Amino acid sequence: MWEYSEKVKDYFFNPKNAGVLEDASGVGEVGAIACGDALKLMIKVDPETDRITEARFQTFGCGSAIASSSALTEIIIGKTLDEALAITNQDIADFLGGLPPEKMHCSVMGYEALRSAIANYRGEVWEDDHEEGALLCKCFGVDEGMVERAIRNNVLTTMEQVAHFTKATGSCGTCVEGIEEVLERTNAAMVEAGELAASQAFVAGATPVVGRKAPRSSPVVAPAPPPAAKMTMLQRIKLIEAELEALRPALQSDGGDCELVDVEDNKVMVRLSGACVNCQLASVTVQGIQSRLAERLGTPVRVIPVPSTH
């Protein structure tokens, strides 16, 4: 599992300011339960001083999400709205003594919720509204604005870093090209503004070249599998194993895992482990695996979790 600081553990096991804040001045909600992480941040503001006097939260997610949300409320109480808006997700992580790279998206979620709550209090339209064309990663509800802010605030230069900070690209992978374009464009703007060395900037499919945009390499298209009716059982098993292997990084990033146990006709038996076991989202995980396998096999399948033999 992950290496957590003592402060992260404390704020997870003994969260501060958890629960509903009655008569909240502003409310910010980010994420979705279907995505695995969701946060509702409630703040109360003194209108005369513009200072946050109370803050509470409700979080659905892992220990890092709970700890980050709790830490955020502790940080912002007593600050003016402008002071609160100056807080970054790195400030949340630093307050907790650091977070594993794979869990930095939890601090980003807090940063986004704070912006949303303050916008709500001020009667402004929150930017994270998934307007047409803005939503990049449908699996985790990550839009273009969130990706750009995460890149700029944390000086991200690789796709792996973007995945750690936003969870984007961590599931089906269809958003990879869109995320690459945002990362490349944002890094180029950071170079122009003197915020990033040109040698560090991301360029999709090529080594960065100072002074001009490197050509994008041609995408590699995986060959379509033969129709399921023409597959041998061995071919079906190999394809299923390959798809599960492609899904494992996303599950492992949240402390879970999945392995193939057996295949019988259209039934695929899998064993969930780690955080996937008895998780409230286990059924969502199974449905996601089932949909992906059905798409690749070209035929309906039923994924059945089986208990561990240990």
Side-chain angles (χ1 to χ4, degrees):
M1 299 298 289
W2 317 113
E3 289 291 333
Y4 291 116
S5 70
E6 290 302 316
K7 201 165 185 179
V8 169
K9 295 176 185 176
D10 178 42
Y11 273 69
F12 168 54
F13 289 113
N14 306 290
K16 285 75 174 173
N17 307 310
V20 177
L21 178 59
E22 300 294 342
D23 301 321
S25 306
V27 178
E29 297 184 70
V30 296
I33 291 179
C35 305
D37 291 299
L39 167 60
K40 181 177 183 179
L41 177 68
M42 295 150 280
I43 59 174
K44 189 168 289 188
V45 181
D46 182 342
E48 295 185 1
T49 63
D50 236 17
R51 200 171 292 276
I52 298 172
T53 58
E54 292 183 66
R56 297 182 75 85
F57 75 94
Q58 290 179 302
T59 293
F60 182 93
C62 62
S64 295
I66 294 171
S68 295
S69 303
S70 180
L72 173 63
T73 60
E74 291 280 276
I75 294 171
I76 64 175
I77 291 176
K79 286 184 168 53
T80 65
L81 296 181
D82 288 340
E83 289 172 342
L85 282 173
I87 294 168
T88 68
N89 68 279
Q90 188 61 53
D91 292 327
I92 299 172
D94 290 343
F95 180 88
L96 290 168
L99 286 170
E102 297 85 355
K103 292 296 181 180
M104 283 299 293
H105 64 268
C106 297
S107 65
V108 173
M109 186 169 65
Y111 168 80
E112 296 286 320
L114 175 60
R115 288 169 55 87
S116 176
I118 294 176
N120 177 249
Y121 168 72
R122 289 176 167 174
E124 301 171 351
V125 177
W126 170 231
E127 296 176 6
D128 186 15
D129 56 2
H130 300 333
E131 294 179 356
E132 185 176 357
L135 186 61
L136 294 177
C137 179
K138 295 181 180 179
C139 296
F140 295 110
V142 179
D143 69 8
E144 187 171 327
M146 181 178 178
V147 174
E148 287 184 356
R149 288 189 291 272
I151 293 170
R152 287 184 177 276
N153 291 344
N154 301 280
V155 195
L156 309 183
T157 59
T158 69
M159 290 291 287
E160 182 181 25
Q161 290 173 336
V162 173
H164 287 167
F165 279 73
T166 67
K167 295 186 77 172
T169 74
S171 184
C172 71
T174 57
C175 63
V176 168
E177 185 174 350
I179 299 294
E180 283 186 335
E181 290 176 356
V182 175
L183 178 57
E184 184 174 27
R185 183 180 70 245
T186 306
N187 272 189
M190 292 168 70
V191 170
E192 187 174 348
E195 301 169 354
L196 181 69
S199 60
Q200 296 177 304
F202 175 84
V203 178
T207 301
V209 178
V210 179
R212 67 179 179 86
K213 182 178 178 180
R216 188 184 301 276
S217 60
S218 300
V220 178
V221 180
K230 296 183 180 181
M231 286 187 191
T232 65
M233 180 55 72
L234 180 59
Q235 287 176 319
R236 284 171 61 87
I237 291 174
K238 285 186 175 181
L239 181 57
I240 291 170
E241 286 180 332
E243 290 304 307
L244 290 179
E245 192 63 29
L247 287 169
R248 290 184 72 198
L251 298 177
Q252 291 172 339
S253 69
D254 281 328
D257 208 343
C258 176
E259 64 176 323
L260 179 64
V261 175
D262 197 7
V263 178
E264 181 181 333
D265 296 327
N266 69 330
K267 298 177 183 178
V268 179
M269 276 68 79
V270 300
R271 180 173 294 118
L272 302 178
S273 59
C276 290
V277 179
N278 298 323
C279 171
Q280 296 181 55
L281 290 177
S283 61
V284 177
T285 300
V286 170
Q287 290 171 13
I289 295 173
Q290 188 168 282
S291 298
R292 176 145 176 173
L293 292 181
E295 181 181 354
R296 289 292 287 157
L297 289 168
T299 184
V301 297
R302 182 184 175 194
V303 174
I304 304 173
V306 298
S308 174
T309 55
H310 300 301

